[in-house]
Amino acid sequence: MSDIKQQFESLSLEFSNDQNSLNELISARSQLETQYQENKIVLAEFENLNEDSKIYKLTGPVLLPQDFTEAKLNVTKRIEFIEGEISRVETKIADQEKKIETTRNKLLAVRAQLGQ
Amino acid sequence: MSNKIDLNKLSPQQLVDFRKSIDQEVTHFTQSLQALQAAQSKLKECITSIDNLEAGKSEDLLIPLTSSLYIPGKVVKRNEYLVDIGTGYYVEKSAQDGKSVYEAKIKKLDQDAKKLKDILVEKNDLLNAVNLILRRKVIELEKQQQQQTATS
């Protein structure tokens, strides 16, 4: 009997741990979304500019002049990177959800045993 | 909503939990709305600043070093502004172009704020419905208890 109880406790601990890491993943996902949107706005702004536009990049406390093509390339690269990160986090979220589901099923099974 | 649940079938406890989660959502959306409005007023300030500077004939201005310390300065070049377009990039723009950047941003925020307001109205309706049903359930429960005490 105590064996099952112990199993139940360790499973519920695992369950809440899983849920915590899922929450962390979800907040990481929303942070990525914010960055993604911001970069997309910047890229849209670059579309309206041309080679002659003077562009500066804030590096620390100083504004450094930057080449238009270089700056645009940078932002495009960053968007690609963020897209990659988003899909990476999303697969992680899906995995974590599956994991939670299996843990939950195990937990329910053990609880049913406990109830008997 | 894809999975519609009949609120009448939920137990009071479930209803209370449901109400709690709606409450949290409403607070979250209200905060977002406030953040949007704050961002909008900041952008509007940028536009007024450009307008003021363009309208003013004098080249003198006071440059803030801190919020309470200023030094006199002079405008060297007119019609030339550095506009923050996000993620640390600044672009040199004329007054007109700079203003149109800010105006576009304000317009976008307006649209987002409108969407948020719609969601908030929807959530508030839902909250009212839940409250109504909850109250009815409580009254029913009280009636049942009274009947039980009366019969026993």
Short mmCIF file of all heavy atoms in Angstrom, two decimals, chain A residues 42-83:
data_model
loop_
_atom_site.label_atom_id
_atom_site.label_comp_id
_atom_site.label_asym_id
_atom_site.label_seq_id
_atom_site.Cartn_x
_atom_site.Cartn_y
_atom_site.Cartn_z
N VAL A 42 10.70 46.41 -38.03
CA VAL A 42 11.93 47.06 -38.48
C VAL A 42 12.20 46.74 -39.94
O VAL A 42 12.55 47.62 -40.74
CB VAL A 42 13.12 46.61 -37.60
CG1 VAL A 42 14.41 47.21 -38.12
CG2 VAL A 42 12.90 47.04 -36.17
N LEU A 43 12.00 45.50 -40.31
CA LEU A 43 12.24 45.09 -41.70
C LEU A 43 11.28 45.82 -42.64
O LEU A 43 11.68 46.28 -43.72
CB LEU A 43 12.08 43.58 -41.85
CG LEU A 43 12.55 43.02 -43.19
CD1 LEU A 43 14.05 43.17 -43.34
CD2 LEU A 43 12.17 41.56 -43.34
N ALA A 44 10.02 45.94 -42.20
CA ALA A 44 9.04 46.66 -43.03
C ALA A 44 9.48 48.10 -43.23
O ALA A 44 9.30 48.67 -44.30
CB ALA A 44 7.67 46.60 -42.35
N GLU A 45 10.07 48.67 -42.16
CA GLU A 45 10.56 50.04 -42.25
C GLU A 45 11.73 50.11 -43.25
O GLU A 45 11.82 51.04 -44.05
CB GLU A 45 10.99 50.50 -40.87
CG GLU A 45 11.32 51.96 -40.74
CD GLU A 45 10.21 52.87 -41.22
OE1 GLU A 45 9.04 52.58 -40.92
OE2 GLU A 45 10.53 53.86 -41.90
N PHE A 46 12.59 49.11 -43.23
CA PHE A 46 13.72 49.08 -44.16
C PHE A 46 13.24 48.99 -45.60
O PHE A 46 13.91 49.51 -46.51
CB PHE A 46 14.63 47.89 -43.85
CG PHE A 46 15.63 48.16 -42.77
CD1 PHE A 46 16.02 47.16 -41.89
CD2 PHE A 46 16.18 49.42 -42.62
CE1 PHE A 46 16.94 47.41 -40.88
CE2 PHE A 46 17.10 49.69 -41.62
CZ PHE A 46 17.48 48.69 -40.76
N GLU A 47 12.11 48.33 -45.81
CA GLU A 47 11.58 48.23 -47.17
C GLU A 47 11.26 49.61 -47.74
O GLU A 47 11.31 49.82 -48.96
CB GLU A 47 10.30 47.37 -47.19
CG GLU A 47 10.48 45.92 -46.75
CD GLU A 47 11.38 45.11 -47.67
OE1 GLU A 47 11.60 45.53 -48.82
OE2 GLU A 47 11.88 44.06 -47.21
N ASN A 48 10.91 50.54 -46.84
CA ASN A 48 10.55 51.89 -47.29
C ASN A 48 11.78 52.77 -47.51
O ASN A 48 11.66 53.89 -48.00
CB ASN A 48 9.65 52.56 -46.25
CG ASN A 48 8.31 51.88 -46.17
OD1 ASN A 48 7.84 51.34 -47.16
ND2 ASN A 48 7.70 51.89 -45.00
N LEU A 49 12.95 52.27 -47.11
CA LEU A 49 14.15 53.09 -47.22
C LEU A 49 14.94 52.68 -48.46
O LEU A 49 14.62 51.71 -49.13
CB LEU A 49 15.02 52.89 -45.97
CG LEU A 49 14.37 53.25 -44.65
CD1 LEU A 49 15.25 52.82 -43.51
CD2 LEU A 49 14.09 54.73 -44.58
N ASN A 50 15.96 53.46 -48.74
CA ASN A 50 16.83 53.08 -49.85
C ASN A 50 18.29 53.21 -49.44
O ASN A 50 18.59 53.56 -48.30
CB ASN A 50 16.51 53.90 -51.09
CG ASN A 50 16.57 55.38 -50.78
OD1 ASN A 50 17.56 55.84 -50.18
ND2 ASN A 50 15.54 56.12 -51.14
N GLU A 51 19.15 52.96 -50.37
CA GLU A 51 20.60 52.93 -50.10
C GLU A 51 21.12 54.22 -49.47
O GLU A 51 22.10 54.21 -48.75
CB GLU A 51 21.35 52.69 -51.42
CG GLU A 51 21.03 51.36 -52.08
CD GLU A 51 21.90 50.24 -51.53
OE1 GLU A 51 22.93 50.55 -50.91
OE2 GLU A 51 21.53 49.08 -51.73
N ASP A 52 20.43 55.33 -49.79
CA ASP A 52 20.94 56.62 -49.33
C ASP A 52 20.57 56.94 -47.89
O ASP A 52 21.09 57.90 -47.33
CB ASP A 52 20.41 57.74 -50.24
CG ASP A 52 20.76 57.47 -51.70
OD1 ASP A 52 21.84 56.91 -51.91
OD2 ASP A 52 19.94 57.79 -52.58
N SER A 53 19.65 56.17 -47.35
CA SER A 53 19.22 56.47 -45.98
C SER A 53 20.39 56.26 -45.02
O SER A 53 21.15 55.32 -45.16
CB SER A 53 18.09 55.53 -45.57
OG SER A 53 17.09 55.53 -46.53
N LYS A 54 20.48 57.20 -44.10
CA LYS A 54 21.53 57.08 -43.09
C LYS A 54 20.97 56.27 -41.92
O LYS A 54 19.98 56.66 -41.31
CB LYS A 54 21.98 58.45 -42.63
CG LYS A 54 22.88 59.11 -43.64
CD LYS A 54 23.30 60.47 -43.14
CE LYS A 54 23.91 61.24 -44.29
NZ LYS A 54 23.67 62.68 -44.15
N ILE A 55 21.62 55.14 -41.66
CA ILE A 55 21.13 54.28 -40.60
C ILE A 55 22.18 54.17 -39.49
O ILE A 55 23.38 54.07 -39.77
CB ILE A 55 20.81 52.88 -41.16
CG1 ILE A 55 19.63 52.99 -42.12
CG2 ILE A 55 20.47 51.90 -40.05
CD1 ILE A 55 19.49 51.81 -43.01
N TYR A 56 21.68 54.23 -38.26
CA TYR A 56 22.58 54.09 -37.12
C TYR A 56 22.10 52.92 -36.28
O TYR A 56 20.91 52.64 -36.20
CB TYR A 56 22.59 55.36 -36.28
CG TYR A 56 23.05 56.57 -37.04
CD1 TYR A 56 22.17 57.31 -37.83
CD2 TYR A 56 24.39 56.97 -36.98
CE1 TYR A 56 22.60 58.41 -38.55
CE2 TYR A 56 24.82 58.08 -37.68
CZ TYR A 56 23.92 58.80 -38.46
OH TYR A 56 24.35 59.89 -39.16
N LYS A 57 23.07 52.24 -35.68
CA LYS A 57 22.71 51.13 -34.80
C LYS A 57 23.15 51.50 -33.40
O LYS A 57 24.29 51.94 -33.19
CB LYS A 57 23.44 49.87 -35.26
CG LYS A 57 23.29 48.69 -34.33
CD LYS A 57 22.24 47.73 -34.82
CE LYS A 57 22.07 46.56 -33.89
NZ LYS A 57 21.22 46.85 -32.74
N LEU A 58 22.24 51.33 -32.44
CA LEU A 58 22.56 51.63 -31.05
C LEU A 58 23.38 50.47 -30.48
O LEU A 58 22.88 49.37 -30.30
CB LEU A 58 21.28 51.83 -30.25
CG LEU A 58 21.46 52.38 -28.85
CD1 LEU A 58 21.91 53.82 -28.88
CD2 LEU A 58 20.15 52.27 -28.08
N THR A 59 24.67 50.74 -30.23
CA THR A 59 25.51 49.71 -29.61
C THR A 59 25.97 50.25 -28.27
O THR A 59 26.84 51.12 -28.23
CB THR A 59 26.72 49.38 -30.49
OG1 THR A 59 26.86 50.40 -31.48
CG2 THR A 59 26.57 48.05 -31.17
N GLY A 60 25.36 49.72 -27.21
CA GLY A 60 25.64 50.27 -25.90
C GLY A 60 25.11 51.69 -25.85
O GLY A 60 23.98 51.93 -26.24
N PRO A 61 25.94 52.65 -25.42
CA PRO A 61 25.43 54.03 -25.35
C PRO A 61 25.68 54.83 -26.63
O PRO A 61 25.29 55.98 -26.70
CB PRO A 61 26.23 54.61 -24.18
CG PRO A 61 27.49 53.83 -24.15
CD PRO A 61 27.25 52.49 -24.79
N VAL A 62 26.35 54.25 -27.62
CA VAL A 62 26.68 55.05 -28.82
C VAL A 62 25.89 54.59 -30.03
O VAL A 62 25.57 53.41 -30.19
CB VAL A 62 28.18 54.96 -29.17
CG1 VAL A 62 28.89 56.19 -28.74
CG2 VAL A 62 28.82 53.71 -28.66
N LEU A 63 25.64 55.55 -30.90
CA LEU A 63 25.01 55.24 -32.19
C LEU A 63 26.11 55.09 -33.23
O LEU A 63 26.87 56.02 -33.48
CB LEU A 63 24.08 56.39 -32.60
CG LEU A 63 22.74 56.46 -31.88
CD1 LEU A 63 22.01 57.72 -32.29
CD2 LEU A 63 21.90 55.26 -32.19
N LEU A 64 26.20 53.93 -33.82
CA LEU A 64 27.20 53.72 -34.86
C LEU A 64 26.53 53.75 -36.22
O LEU A 64 25.50 53.11 -36.41
CB LEU A 64 27.88 52.35 -34.66
CG LEU A 64 28.79 52.21 -33.44
CD1 LEU A 64 29.31 50.79 -33.35
CD2 LEU A 64 29.94 53.20 -33.53
N PRO A 65 27.10 54.49 -37.16
CA PRO A 65 26.52 54.48 -38.50
C PRO A 65 26.64 53.10 -39.13
O PRO A 65 27.64 52.39 -38.92
CB PRO A 65 27.36 55.51 -39.25
CG PRO A 65 28.57 55.75 -38.44
CD PRO A 65 28.27 55.37 -37.04
N GLN A 66 25.64 52.72 -39.87
CA GLN A 66 25.68 51.40 -40.48
C GLN A 66 25.18 51.47 -41.91
O GLN A 66 24.34 52.28 -42.26
CB GLN A 66 24.82 50.44 -39.67
CG GLN A 66 25.53 49.12 -39.45
CD GLN A 66 24.68 48.12 -38.71
OE1 GLN A 66 23.52 48.34 -38.45
NE2 GLN A 66 25.28 47.00 -38.39
N ASP A 67 25.73 50.57 -42.72
CA ASP A 67 25.36 50.49 -44.11
C ASP A 67 23.95 49.95 -44.24
O ASP A 67 23.54 49.08 -43.48
CB ASP A 67 26.36 49.55 -44.80
CG ASP A 67 26.21 49.60 -46.29
OD1 ASP A 67 26.08 50.71 -46.81
OD2 ASP A 67 26.19 48.53 -46.92
N PHE A 68 23.20 50.50 -45.23
CA PHE A 68 21.81 50.07 -45.38
C PHE A 68 21.70 48.57 -45.66
O PHE A 68 20.96 47.86 -44.98
CB PHE A 68 21.16 50.86 -46.52
CG PHE A 68 19.82 50.33 -46.93
CD1 PHE A 68 18.71 50.54 -46.12
CD2 PHE A 68 19.67 49.62 -48.11
CE1 PHE A 68 17.47 50.05 -46.49
CE2 PHE A 68 18.43 49.12 -48.47
CZ PHE A 68 17.33 49.34 -47.66
N THR A 69 22.47 48.09 -46.64
CA THR A 69 22.35 46.67 -47.01
C THR A 69 22.76 45.77 -45.86
O THR A 69 22.12 44.74 -45.61
CB THR A 69 23.23 46.35 -48.24
OG1 THR A 69 24.38 47.16 -48.20
CG2 THR A 69 22.47 46.57 -49.52
N GLU A 70 23.81 46.21 -45.15
CA GLU A 70 24.28 45.41 -44.03
C GLU A 70 23.22 45.32 -42.94
O GLU A 70 22.92 44.24 -42.41
CB GLU A 70 25.55 46.04 -43.46
CG GLU A 70 26.36 45.14 -42.57
CD GLU A 70 27.47 45.90 -41.88
OE1 GLU A 70 28.01 46.86 -42.51
OE2 GLU A 70 27.76 45.59 -40.73
N ALA A 71 22.62 46.48 -42.64
CA ALA A 71 21.61 46.53 -41.59
C ALA A 71 20.41 45.67 -41.97
O ALA A 71 19.89 44.91 -41.16
CB ALA A 71 21.16 47.98 -41.36
N LYS A 72 20.02 45.78 -43.23
CA LYS A 72 18.86 45.02 -43.68
C LYS A 72 19.14 43.52 -43.61
O LYS A 72 18.31 42.72 -43.18
CB LYS A 72 18.51 45.42 -45.10
CG LYS A 72 17.11 45.00 -45.48
CD LYS A 72 16.73 45.51 -46.84
CE LYS A 72 15.51 44.78 -47.35
NZ LYS A 72 15.18 45.17 -48.70
N LEU A 73 20.36 43.16 -44.02
CA LEU A 73 20.76 41.75 -43.98
C LEU A 73 20.74 41.24 -42.55
O LEU A 73 20.26 40.14 -42.27
CB LEU A 73 22.16 41.62 -44.58
CG LEU A 73 22.57 40.21 -44.99
CD1 LEU A 73 21.80 39.80 -46.23
CD2 LEU A 73 24.06 40.13 -45.22
N ASN A 74 21.25 42.09 -41.64
CA ASN A 74 21.27 41.72 -40.22
C ASN A 74 19.89 41.39 -39.71
O ASN A 74 19.68 40.37 -39.05
CB ASN A 74 21.83 42.87 -39.40
CG ASN A 74 23.32 42.72 -39.20
OD1 ASN A 74 23.85 41.62 -39.33
ND2 ASN A 74 23.98 43.81 -38.91
N VAL A 75 18.94 42.28 -40.04
CA VAL A 75 17.58 42.09 -39.53
C VAL A 75 16.96 40.84 -40.16
O VAL A 75 16.30 40.05 -39.47
CB VAL A 75 16.72 43.33 -39.80
CG1 VAL A 75 15.28 43.10 -39.37
CG2 VAL A 75 17.27 44.52 -39.03
N THR A 76 17.21 40.64 -41.46
CA THR A 76 16.66 39.45 -42.12
C THR A 76 17.21 38.19 -41.47
O THR A 76 16.48 37.23 -41.21
CB THR A 76 17.03 39.46 -43.62
OG1 THR A 76 16.96 40.78 -44.10
CG2 THR A 76 16.10 38.59 -44.40
N LYS A 77 18.52 38.20 -41.21
CA LYS A 77 19.17 37.06 -40.54
C LYS A 77 18.54 36.81 -39.18
O LYS A 77 18.27 35.66 -38.80
CB LYS A 77 20.67 37.34 -40.35
CG LYS A 77 21.49 37.04 -41.57
CD LYS A 77 22.12 35.65 -41.46
CE LYS A 77 22.62 35.18 -42.81
NZ LYS A 77 23.70 36.04 -43.30
N ARG A 78 18.32 37.92 -38.47
CA ARG A 78 17.78 37.79 -37.11
C ARG A 78 16.37 37.19 -37.16
O ARG A 78 16.03 36.34 -36.34
CB ARG A 78 17.76 39.15 -36.44
CG ARG A 78 17.67 39.05 -34.94
CD ARG A 78 18.37 40.16 -34.27
NE ARG A 78 17.98 41.44 -34.88
CZ ARG A 78 18.29 42.61 -34.37
NH1 ARG A 78 18.97 42.67 -33.27
NH2 ARG A 78 17.93 43.71 -34.96
N ILE A 79 15.60 37.63 -38.15
CA ILE A 79 14.24 37.09 -38.27
C ILE A 79 14.31 35.59 -38.55
O ILE A 79 13.58 34.79 -37.95
CB ILE A 79 13.46 37.84 -39.36
CG1 ILE A 79 13.06 39.21 -38.83
CG2 ILE A 79 12.21 37.07 -39.76
CD1 ILE A 79 12.31 40.06 -39.81
N GLU A 80 15.22 35.19 -39.44
CA GLU A 80 15.39 33.76 -39.73
C GLU A 80 15.73 33.00 -38.45
O GLU A 80 15.16 31.96 -38.16
CB GLU A 80 16.51 33.56 -40.75
CG GLU A 80 16.04 33.68 -42.19
CD GLU A 80 17.24 33.75 -43.13
OE1 GLU A 80 18.32 33.25 -42.77
OE2 GLU A 80 17.07 34.33 -44.22
N PHE A 81 16.68 33.56 -37.70
CA PHE A 81 17.11 32.92 -36.46
C PHE A 81 15.94 32.76 -35.49
O PHE A 81 15.72 31.68 -34.93
CB PHE A 81 18.22 33.76 -35.81
CG PHE A 81 18.65 33.26 -34.47
CD1 PHE A 81 19.42 32.12 -34.34
CD2 PHE A 81 18.26 33.93 -33.32
CE1 PHE A 81 19.82 31.66 -33.10
CE2 PHE A 81 18.65 33.49 -32.07
CZ PHE A 81 19.44 32.35 -31.96
N ILE A 82 15.16 33.84 -35.36
CA ILE A 82 14.03 33.80 -34.42
C ILE A 82 12.99 32.78 -34.89
O ILE A 82 12.43 32.04 -34.08
CB ILE A 82 13.40 35.20 -34.25
CG1 ILE A 82 14.38 36.12 -33.53
CG2 ILE A 82 12.11 35.13 -33.44
CD1 ILE A 82 13.99 37.57 -33.51
N GLU A 83 12.78 32.73 -36.21
CA GLU A 83 11.84 31.73 -36.74
C GLU A 83 12.29 30.32 -36.36
O GLU A 83 11.48 29.48 -35.95
CB GLU A 83 11.72 31.86 -38.25
CG GLU A 83 10.69 32.90 -38.66
CD GLU A 83 10.74 33.21 -40.14
OE1 GLU A 83 11.71 32.76 -40.82
OE2 GLU A 83 9.84 33.90 -40.63
#
